[in-house]
Amino acid sequence: VVLQDWQSARASLDMELQLKFAFWKCIPWRLAGIADWDVDVARKAAADSLAQFASSPLHEHSHHPLTVHMLGIGAKSGLRDQIIRFASGSALGNEKNLEQEVFRLRGIPLVERSIEAKHALAKKGLAGSPRPSPPLFSLALRFPEIVDRMHSSPSFVEDLTAFFDSHRDPNLIVIAAGLACHSSLNAFLSQTGTLKRRHIALCMYHCDIDSMYLDHGAVRKQLDVISRQKKTRLRRPRRHLHRHSRSRLWRTRPPS
């Protein structure tokens, strides 16, 4: 009976999560997938978005403004053609307008509490590193574990140092990490002919190191303008209601 209840609860929870997050599979939210660090995932999101837009029974201008902006046929942004080329294999760096739009999509706040806790710990450990690399970020998170192992095992430091010394070669790192069959590593090898540690870090930590530290100043300014406009729109009705409530109170006040 307990196992049956557990399976029922698990199935119910799975269904609830599927329904709760199903909107991420639909446009315009599916477009956010183009900002994924994994190029293969981003290309699939682009292809799915194009297919959904093409098969939608709605009139083009009945879609969300973001959908029309990025996927609309004949839209002034010209992003549709760039998305088609990106989904077909073109590099994101070759599609400058789409790249700027992707930077904006990466600004969507999707932070969970568990990630916020890890970010707080990592930020404390990386106080002196303004541009930390993914391996350094990982080290900051796991450093308390390393300290505990040092106290529990006197030979841990020597063993860890010996392991690092014996795995300085990128090819040995790939074997030790189990990444020998990773498709992105094969792509790097075909492009450059050599394998570097930064390529391994990109695959291991699933982040695009090349675009992570690009200058996003223009995108930040655009987002700041949009944020100020939203705040202005939210303030106006409140001031109007406040004036209306005061005038109504004055009209209904009984004579003294």
PDB file of all heavy atoms in Angstrom, residues 17-47:
ATOM      1  N   LEU A  17       4.072  19.072 -12.459  1.00  0.00           N
ATOM      2  CA  LEU A  17       5.237  19.803 -12.955  1.00  0.00           C
ATOM      3  C   LEU A  17       5.188  19.941 -14.475  1.00  0.00           C
ATOM      4  O   LEU A  17       5.570  20.985 -15.024  1.00  0.00           O
ATOM      5  CB  LEU A  17       6.524  19.091 -12.526  1.00  0.00           C
ATOM      6  CG  LEU A  17       6.849  19.128 -11.025  1.00  0.00           C
ATOM      7  CD1 LEU A  17       8.082  18.278 -10.726  1.00  0.00           C
ATOM      8  CD2 LEU A  17       7.076  20.566 -10.549  1.00  0.00           C
ATOM      9  N   GLN A  18       4.727  18.874 -15.151  1.00  0.00           N
ATOM     10  CA  GLN A  18       4.614  18.944 -16.609  1.00  0.00           C
ATOM     11  C   GLN A  18       3.637  20.034 -17.026  1.00  0.00           C
ATOM     12  O   GLN A  18       3.891  20.804 -17.959  1.00  0.00           O
ATOM     13  CB  GLN A  18       4.161  17.591 -17.169  1.00  0.00           C
ATOM     14  CG  GLN A  18       5.189  16.482 -17.029  1.00  0.00           C
ATOM     15  CD  GLN A  18       6.357  16.647 -17.983  1.00  0.00           C
ATOM     16  OE1 GLN A  18       6.270  17.368 -18.965  1.00  0.00           O
ATOM     17  NE2 GLN A  18       7.457  15.982 -17.691  1.00  0.00           N
ATOM     18  N   LEU A  19       2.498  20.109 -16.313  1.00  0.00           N
ATOM     19  CA  LEU A  19       1.496  21.127 -16.641  1.00  0.00           C
ATOM     20  C   LEU A  19       1.979  22.533 -16.276  1.00  0.00           C
ATOM     21  O   LEU A  19       1.728  23.499 -17.001  1.00  0.00           O
ATOM     22  CB  LEU A  19       0.189  20.818 -15.908  1.00  0.00           C
ATOM     23  CG  LEU A  19      -0.536  19.543 -16.335  1.00  0.00           C
ATOM     24  CD1 LEU A  19      -1.734  19.290 -15.433  1.00  0.00           C
ATOM     25  CD2 LEU A  19      -0.977  19.643 -17.792  1.00  0.00           C
ATOM     26  N   LYS A  20       2.674  22.636 -15.150  1.00  0.00           N
ATOM     27  CA  LYS A  20       3.111  23.947 -14.670  1.00  0.00           C
ATOM     28  C   LYS A  20       4.141  24.578 -15.596  1.00  0.00           C
ATOM     29  O   LYS A  20       4.120  25.796 -15.813  1.00  0.00           O
ATOM     30  CB  LYS A  20       3.685  23.815 -13.259  1.00  0.00           C
ATOM     31  CG  LYS A  20       4.079  25.149 -12.636  1.00  0.00           C
ATOM     32  CD  LYS A  20       4.525  24.975 -11.205  1.00  0.00           C
ATOM     33  CE  LYS A  20       4.863  26.331 -10.581  1.00  0.00           C
ATOM     34  NZ  LYS A  20       5.283  26.183  -9.167  1.00  0.00           N
ATOM     35  N   PHE A  21       5.035  23.749 -16.147  1.00  0.00           N
ATOM     36  CA  PHE A  21       6.122  24.284 -16.969  1.00  0.00           C
ATOM     37  C   PHE A  21       5.925  24.012 -18.457  1.00  0.00           C
ATOM     38  O   PHE A  21       6.859  24.190 -19.236  1.00  0.00           O
ATOM     39  CB  PHE A  21       7.456  23.691 -16.515  1.00  0.00           C
ATOM     40  CG  PHE A  21       7.829  24.066 -15.110  1.00  0.00           C
ATOM     41  CD1 PHE A  21       7.790  23.126 -14.089  1.00  0.00           C
ATOM     42  CD2 PHE A  21       8.200  25.357 -14.797  1.00  0.00           C
ATOM     43  CE1 PHE A  21       8.123  23.461 -12.796  1.00  0.00           C
ATOM     44  CE2 PHE A  21       8.539  25.711 -13.507  1.00  0.00           C
ATOM     45  CZ  PHE A  21       8.502  24.765 -12.501  1.00  0.00           C
ATOM     46  N   ALA A  22       4.724  23.606 -18.851  1.00  0.00           N
ATOM     47  CA  ALA A  22       4.475  23.311 -20.263  1.00  0.00           C
ATOM     48  C   ALA A  22       4.570  24.561 -21.127  1.00  0.00           C
ATOM     49  O   ALA A  22       4.829  24.469 -22.331  1.00  0.00           O
ATOM     50  CB  ALA A  22       3.099  22.669 -20.428  1.00  0.00           C
ATOM     51  N   PHE A  23       4.359  25.732 -20.532  1.00  0.00           N
ATOM     52  CA  PHE A  23       4.376  26.957 -21.331  1.00  0.00           C
ATOM     53  C   PHE A  23       5.752  27.211 -21.954  1.00  0.00           C
ATOM     54  O   PHE A  23       5.864  27.894 -22.980  1.00  0.00           O
ATOM     55  CB  PHE A  23       3.960  28.163 -20.480  1.00  0.00           C
ATOM     56  CG  PHE A  23       4.936  28.535 -19.392  1.00  0.00           C
ATOM     57  CD1 PHE A  23       5.913  29.486 -19.621  1.00  0.00           C
ATOM     58  CD2 PHE A  23       4.867  27.923 -18.154  1.00  0.00           C
ATOM     59  CE1 PHE A  23       6.806  29.836 -18.626  1.00  0.00           C
ATOM     60  CE2 PHE A  23       5.757  28.268 -17.154  1.00  0.00           C
ATOM     61  CZ  PHE A  23       6.733  29.226 -17.387  1.00  0.00           C
ATOM     62  N   TRP A  24       6.825  26.655 -21.339  1.00  0.00           N
ATOM     63  CA  TRP A  24       8.162  26.861 -21.899  1.00  0.00           C
ATOM     64  C   TRP A  24       8.332  26.165 -23.243  1.00  0.00           C
ATOM     65  O   TRP A  24       9.296  26.443 -23.966  1.00  0.00           O
ATOM     66  CB  TRP A  24       9.225  26.354 -20.930  1.00  0.00           C
ATOM     67  CG  TRP A  24       9.461  27.269 -19.780  1.00  0.00           C
ATOM     68  CD1 TRP A  24       9.182  27.039 -18.468  1.00  0.00           C
ATOM     69  CD2 TRP A  24      10.037  28.589 -19.825  1.00  0.00           C
ATOM     70  NE1 TRP A  24       9.539  28.123 -17.704  1.00  0.00           N
ATOM     71  CE2 TRP A  24      10.065  29.082 -18.510  1.00  0.00           C
ATOM     72  CE3 TRP A  24      10.525  29.384 -20.859  1.00  0.00           C
ATOM     73  CZ2 TRP A  24      10.566  30.344 -18.205  1.00  0.00           C
ATOM     74  CZ3 TRP A  24      11.019  30.639 -20.556  1.00  0.00           C
ATOM     75  CH2 TRP A  24      11.034  31.104 -19.245  1.00  0.00           C
ATOM     76  N   LYS A  25       7.420  25.275 -23.593  1.00  0.00           N
ATOM     77  CA  LYS A  25       7.503  24.588 -24.875  1.00  0.00           C
ATOM     78  C   LYS A  25       6.748  25.333 -25.972  1.00  0.00           C
ATOM     79  O   LYS A  25       6.743  24.889 -27.115  1.00  0.00           O
ATOM     80  CB  LYS A  25       6.942  23.165 -24.746  1.00  0.00           C
ATOM     81  CG  LYS A  25       7.690  22.295 -23.737  1.00  0.00           C
ATOM     82  CD  LYS A  25       7.067  20.919 -23.631  1.00  0.00           C
ATOM     83  CE  LYS A  25       7.788  20.046 -22.605  1.00  0.00           C
ATOM     84  NZ  LYS A  25       7.168  18.707 -22.476  1.00  0.00           N
ATOM     85  N   CYS A  26       6.099  26.437 -25.613  1.00  0.00           N
ATOM     86  CA  CYS A  26       5.282  27.182 -26.573  1.00  0.00           C
ATOM     87  C   CYS A  26       5.891  28.561 -26.819  1.00  0.00           C
ATOM     88  O   CYS A  26       6.520  29.142 -25.937  1.00  0.00           O
ATOM     89  CB  CYS A  26       3.845  27.341 -26.048  1.00  0.00           C
ATOM     90  SG  CYS A  26       3.035  25.783 -25.606  1.00  0.00           S
ATOM     91  N   ILE A  27       5.706  29.063 -28.023  1.00  0.00           N
ATOM     92  CA  ILE A  27       6.141  30.422 -28.321  1.00  0.00           C
ATOM     93  C   ILE A  27       5.189  31.404 -27.638  1.00  0.00           C
ATOM     94  O   ILE A  27       4.008  31.105 -27.476  1.00  0.00           O
ATOM     95  CB  ILE A  27       6.183  30.672 -29.854  1.00  0.00           C
ATOM     96  CG1 ILE A  27       4.856  30.270 -30.497  1.00  0.00           C
ATOM     97  CG2 ILE A  27       7.340  29.989 -30.488  1.00  0.00           C
ATOM     98  CD1 ILE A  27       4.785  30.575 -31.984  1.00  0.00           C
ATOM     99  N   PRO A  28       5.655  32.550 -27.148  1.00  0.00           N
ATOM    100  CA  PRO A  28       7.005  33.101 -27.333  1.00  0.00           C
ATOM    101  C   PRO A  28       8.054  32.593 -26.339  1.00  0.00           C
ATOM    102  O   PRO A  28       9.234  32.869 -26.506  1.00  0.00           O
ATOM    103  CB  PRO A  28       6.788  34.597 -27.131  1.00  0.00           C
ATOM    104  CG  PRO A  28       5.686  34.659 -26.121  1.00  0.00           C
ATOM    105  CD  PRO A  28       4.771  33.502 -26.477  1.00  0.00           C
ATOM    106  N   TRP A  29       7.622  31.851 -25.301  1.00  0.00           N
ATOM    107  CA  TRP A  29       8.590  31.410 -24.290  1.00  0.00           C
ATOM    108  C   TRP A  29       9.630  30.460 -24.877  1.00  0.00           C
ATOM    109  O   TRP A  29      10.770  30.437 -24.424  1.00  0.00           O
ATOM    110  CB  TRP A  29       7.849  30.729 -23.134  1.00  0.00           C
ATOM    111  CG  TRP A  29       6.938  31.651 -22.397  1.00  0.00           C
ATOM    112  CD1 TRP A  29       7.255  32.539 -21.408  1.00  0.00           C
ATOM    113  CD2 TRP A  29       5.535  31.786 -22.602  1.00  0.00           C
ATOM    114  NE1 TRP A  29       6.142  33.217 -20.987  1.00  0.00           N
ATOM    115  CE2 TRP A  29       5.054  32.769 -21.701  1.00  0.00           C
ATOM    116  CE3 TRP A  29       4.613  31.168 -23.452  1.00  0.00           C
ATOM    117  CZ2 TRP A  29       3.725  33.152 -21.627  1.00  0.00           C
ATOM    118  CZ3 TRP A  29       3.285  31.543 -23.377  1.00  0.00           C
ATOM    119  CH2 TRP A  29       2.857  32.524 -22.481  1.00  0.00           C
ATOM    120  N   ARG A  30       9.237  29.685 -25.893  1.00  0.00           N
ATOM    121  CA  ARG A  30      10.193  28.749 -26.503  1.00  0.00           C
ATOM    122  C   ARG A  30      11.367  29.495 -27.120  1.00  0.00           C
ATOM    123  O   ARG A  30      12.465  28.943 -27.239  1.00  0.00           O
ATOM    124  CB  ARG A  30       9.473  27.916 -27.558  1.00  0.00           C
ATOM    125  CG  ARG A  30      10.322  26.786 -28.138  1.00  0.00           C
ATOM    126  CD  ARG A  30      10.585  25.729 -27.093  1.00  0.00           C
ATOM    127  NE  ARG A  30      11.348  24.612 -27.622  1.00  0.00           N
ATOM    128  CZ  ARG A  30      12.565  24.275 -27.207  1.00  0.00           C
ATOM    129  NH1 ARG A  30      13.165  25.002 -26.278  1.00  0.00           N
ATOM    130  NH2 ARG A  30      13.185  23.233 -27.711  1.00  0.00           N
ATOM    131  N   LEU A  31      11.168  30.744 -27.498  1.00  0.00           N
ATOM    132  CA  LEU A  31      12.250  31.532 -28.083  1.00  0.00           C
ATOM    133  C   LEU A  31      13.390  31.748 -27.105  1.00  0.00           C
ATOM    134  O   LEU A  31      14.534  31.958 -27.512  1.00  0.00           O
ATOM    135  CB  LEU A  31      11.708  32.887 -28.551  1.00  0.00           C
ATOM    136  CG  LEU A  31      10.798  32.854 -29.779  1.00  0.00           C
ATOM    137  CD1 LEU A  31      10.064  34.175 -29.927  1.00  0.00           C
ATOM    138  CD2 LEU A  31      11.603  32.554 -31.037  1.00  0.00           C
ATOM    139  N   ALA A  32      13.086  31.705 -25.799  1.00  0.00           N
ATOM    140  CA  ALA A  32      14.143  31.882 -24.805  1.00  0.00           C
ATOM    141  C   ALA A  32      15.169  30.760 -24.885  1.00  0.00           C
ATOM    142  O   ALA A  32      16.311  30.934 -24.450  1.00  0.00           O
ATOM    143  CB  ALA A  32      13.545  31.952 -23.398  1.00  0.00           C
ATOM    144  N   GLY A  33      14.782  29.611 -25.440  1.00  0.00           N
ATOM    145  CA  GLY A  33      15.712  28.507 -25.575  1.00  0.00           C
ATOM    146  C   GLY A  33      16.851  28.798 -26.535  1.00  0.00           C
ATOM    147  O   GLY A  33      17.894  28.141 -26.490  1.00  0.00           O
ATOM    148  N   ILE A  34      16.670  29.799 -27.412  1.00  0.00           N
ATOM    149  CA  ILE A  34      17.750  30.163 -28.334  1.00  0.00           C
ATOM    150  C   ILE A  34      18.932  30.737 -27.562  1.00  0.00           C
ATOM    151  O   ILE A  34      20.060  30.743 -28.055  1.00  0.00           O
ATOM    152  CB  ILE A  34      17.233  31.177 -29.377  1.00  0.00           C
ATOM    153  CG1 ILE A  34      16.030  30.597 -30.120  1.00  0.00           C
ATOM    154  CG2 ILE A  34      18.311  31.560 -30.369  1.00  0.00           C
ATOM    155  CD1 ILE A  34      15.403  31.554 -31.120  1.00  0.00           C
ATOM    156  N   ALA A  35      18.690  31.205 -26.344  1.00  0.00           N
ATOM    157  CA  ALA A  35      19.770  31.770 -25.524  1.00  0.00           C
ATOM    158  C   ALA A  35      20.508  30.711 -24.717  1.00  0.00           C
ATOM    159  O   ALA A  35      21.366  31.063 -23.904  1.00  0.00           O
ATOM    160  CB  ALA A  35      19.190  32.829 -24.584  1.00  0.00           C
ATOM    161  N   ASP A  36      20.192  29.440 -24.923  1.00  0.00           N
ATOM    162  CA  ASP A  36      20.870  28.387 -24.156  1.00  0.00           C
ATOM    163  C   ASP A  36      22.352  28.351 -24.510  1.00  0.00           C
ATOM    164  O   ASP A  36      22.752  28.638 -25.643  1.00  0.00           O
ATOM    165  CB  ASP A  36      20.233  27.027 -24.462  1.00  0.00           C
ATOM    166  CG  ASP A  36      20.618  25.962 -23.440  1.00  0.00           C
ATOM    167  OD1 ASP A  36      21.722  25.391 -23.562  1.00  0.00           O
ATOM    168  OD2 ASP A  36      19.817  25.713 -22.533  1.00  0.00           O
ATOM    169  N   TRP A  37      23.189  27.993 -23.505  1.00  0.00           N
ATOM    170  CA  TRP A  37      24.635  27.942 -23.734  1.00  0.00           C
ATOM    171  C   TRP A  37      25.016  26.800 -24.670  1.00  0.00           C
ATOM    172  O   TRP A  37      26.021  26.885 -25.379  1.00  0.00           O
ATOM    173  CB  TRP A  37      25.357  27.782 -22.395  1.00  0.00           C
ATOM    174  CG  TRP A  37      25.075  28.867 -21.426  1.00  0.00           C
ATOM    175  CD1 TRP A  37      24.329  28.765 -20.280  1.00  0.00           C
ATOM    176  CD2 TRP A  37      25.497  30.231 -21.494  1.00  0.00           C
ATOM    177  NE1 TRP A  37      24.262  29.972 -19.636  1.00  0.00           N
ATOM    178  CE2 TRP A  37      24.975  30.891 -20.360  1.00  0.00           C
ATOM    179  CE3 TRP A  37      26.263  30.958 -22.397  1.00  0.00           C
ATOM    180  CZ2 TRP A  37      25.206  32.236 -20.110  1.00  0.00           C
ATOM    181  CZ3 TRP A  37      26.484  32.287 -22.149  1.00  0.00           C
ATOM    182  CH2 TRP A  37      25.964  32.921 -21.019  1.00  0.00           C
ATOM    183  N   ASP A  38      24.219  25.731 -24.676  1.00  0.00           N
ATOM    184  CA  ASP A  38      24.497  24.598 -25.550  1.00  0.00           C
ATOM    185  C   ASP A  38      23.976  24.929 -26.951  1.00  0.00           C
ATOM    186  O   ASP A  38      22.775  25.157 -27.147  1.00  0.00           O
ATOM    187  CB  ASP A  38      23.813  23.340 -25.009  1.00  0.00           C
ATOM    188  CG  ASP A  38      24.268  22.077 -25.730  1.00  0.00           C
ATOM    189  OD1 ASP A  38      24.513  22.146 -26.947  1.00  0.00           O
ATOM    190  OD2 ASP A  38      24.384  21.025 -25.074  1.00  0.00           O
ATOM    191  N   VAL A  39      24.860  24.942 -27.937  1.00  0.00           N
ATOM    192  CA  VAL A  39      24.474  25.339 -29.296  1.00  0.00           C
ATOM    193  C   VAL A  39      23.422  24.393 -29.871  1.00  0.00           C
ATOM    194  O   VAL A  39      22.484  24.829 -30.548  1.00  0.00           O
ATOM    195  CB  VAL A  39      25.718  25.386 -30.210  1.00  0.00           C
ATOM    196  CG1 VAL A  39      25.320  25.746 -31.639  1.00  0.00           C
ATOM    197  CG2 VAL A  39      26.722  26.399 -29.680  1.00  0.00           C
ATOM    198  N   ASP A  40      23.561  23.093 -29.608  1.00  0.00           N
ATOM    199  CA  ASP A  40      22.591  22.128 -30.135  1.00  0.00           C
ATOM    200  C   ASP A  40      21.198  22.382 -29.567  1.00  0.00           C
ATOM    201  O   ASP A  40      20.194  22.321 -30.290  1.00  0.00           O
ATOM    202  CB  ASP A  40      23.045  20.702 -29.813  1.00  0.00           C
ATOM    203  CG  ASP A  40      24.333  20.322 -30.532  1.00  0.00           C
ATOM    204  OD1 ASP A  40      24.589  20.904 -31.607  1.00  0.00           O
ATOM    205  OD2 ASP A  40      25.080  19.469 -30.018  1.00  0.00           O
ATOM    206  N   VAL A  41      21.129  22.673 -28.271  1.00  0.00           N
ATOM    207  CA  VAL A  41      19.834  22.973 -27.636  1.00  0.00           C
ATOM    208  C   VAL A  41      19.259  24.265 -28.210  1.00  0.00           C
ATOM    209  O   VAL A  41      18.052  24.376 -28.475  1.00  0.00           O
ATOM    210  CB  VAL A  41      20.005  23.084 -26.109  1.00  0.00           C
ATOM    211  CG1 VAL A  41      18.694  23.513 -25.449  1.00  0.00           C
ATOM    212  CG2 VAL A  41      20.460  21.748 -25.522  1.00  0.00           C
ATOM    213  N   ALA A  42      20.117  25.265 -28.411  1.00  0.00           N
ATOM    214  CA  ALA A  42      19.663  26.549 -28.950  1.00  0.00           C
ATOM    215  C   ALA A  42      19.126  26.385 -30.373  1.00  0.00           C
ATOM    216  O   ALA A  42      18.092  26.968 -30.734  1.00  0.00           O
ATOM    217  CB  ALA A  42      20.810  27.546 -28.919  1.00  0.00           C
ATOM    218  N   ARG A  43      19.808  25.590 -31.188  1.00  0.00           N
ATOM    219  CA  ARG A  43      19.346  25.376 -32.568  1.00  0.00           C
ATOM    220  C   ARG A  43      18.001  24.645 -32.583  1.00  0.00           C
ATOM    221  O   ARG A  43      17.126  24.963 -33.401  1.00  0.00           O
ATOM    222  CB  ARG A  43      20.379  24.574 -33.355  1.00  0.00           C
ATOM    223  CG  ARG A  43      21.693  25.291 -33.592  1.00  0.00           C
ATOM    224  CD  ARG A  43      22.528  24.537 -34.623  1.00  0.00           C
ATOM    225  NE  ARG A  43      23.920  24.938 -34.569  1.00  0.00           N
ATOM    226  CZ  ARG A  43      24.409  26.065 -35.061  1.00  0.00           C
ATOM    227  NH1 ARG A  43      23.587  26.924 -35.627  1.00  0.00           N
ATOM    228  NH2 ARG A  43      25.692  26.345 -34.987  1.00  0.00           N
ATOM    229  N   LYS A  44      17.832  23.676 -31.687  1.00  0.00           N
ATOM    230  CA  LYS A  44      16.557  22.958 -31.625  1.00  0.00           C
ATOM    231  C   LYS A  44      15.427  23.889 -31.205  1.00  0.00           C
ATOM    232  O   LYS A  44      14.308  23.817 -31.731  1.00  0.00           O
ATOM    233  CB  LYS A  44      16.655  21.785 -30.647  1.00  0.00           C
ATOM    234  CG  LYS A  44      15.412  20.882 -30.671  1.00  0.00           C
ATOM    235  CD  LYS A  44      15.584  19.698 -29.763  1.00  0.00           C
ATOM    236  CE  LYS A  44      14.414  18.730 -29.899  1.00  0.00           C
ATOM    237  NZ  LYS A  44      13.096  19.384 -29.744  1.00  0.00           N
ATOM    238  N   ALA A  45      15.715  24.790 -30.245  1.00  0.00           N
ATOM    239  CA  ALA A  45      14.700  25.766 -29.819  1.00  0.00           C
ATOM    240  C   ALA A  45      14.325  26.682 -30.980  1.00  0.00           C
ATOM    241  O   ALA A  45      13.142  27.018 -31.158  1.00  0.00           O
ATOM    242  CB  ALA A  45      15.228  26.576 -28.645  1.00  0.00           C
ATOM    243  N   ALA A  46      15.311  27.080 -31.770  1.00  0.00           N
ATOM    244  CA  ALA A  46      15.028  27.933 -32.923  1.00  0.00           C
ATOM    245  C   ALA A  46      14.157  27.195 -33.947  1.00  0.00           C
ATOM    246  O   ALA A  46      13.181  27.753 -34.475  1.00  0.00           O
ATOM    247  CB  ALA A  46      16.336  28.384 -33.560  1.00  0.00           C
ATOM    248  N   ALA A  47      14.501  25.940 -34.225  1.00  0.00           N
ATOM    249  CA  ALA A  47      13.721  25.154 -35.187  1.00  0.00           C
ATOM    250  C   ALA A  47      12.301  24.906 -34.674  1.00  0.00           C
ATOM    251  O   ALA A  47      11.326  25.004 -35.440  1.00  0.00           O
ATOM    252  CB  ALA A  47      14.425  23.826 -35.463  1.00  0.00           C
TER     253      ALA A  47
END
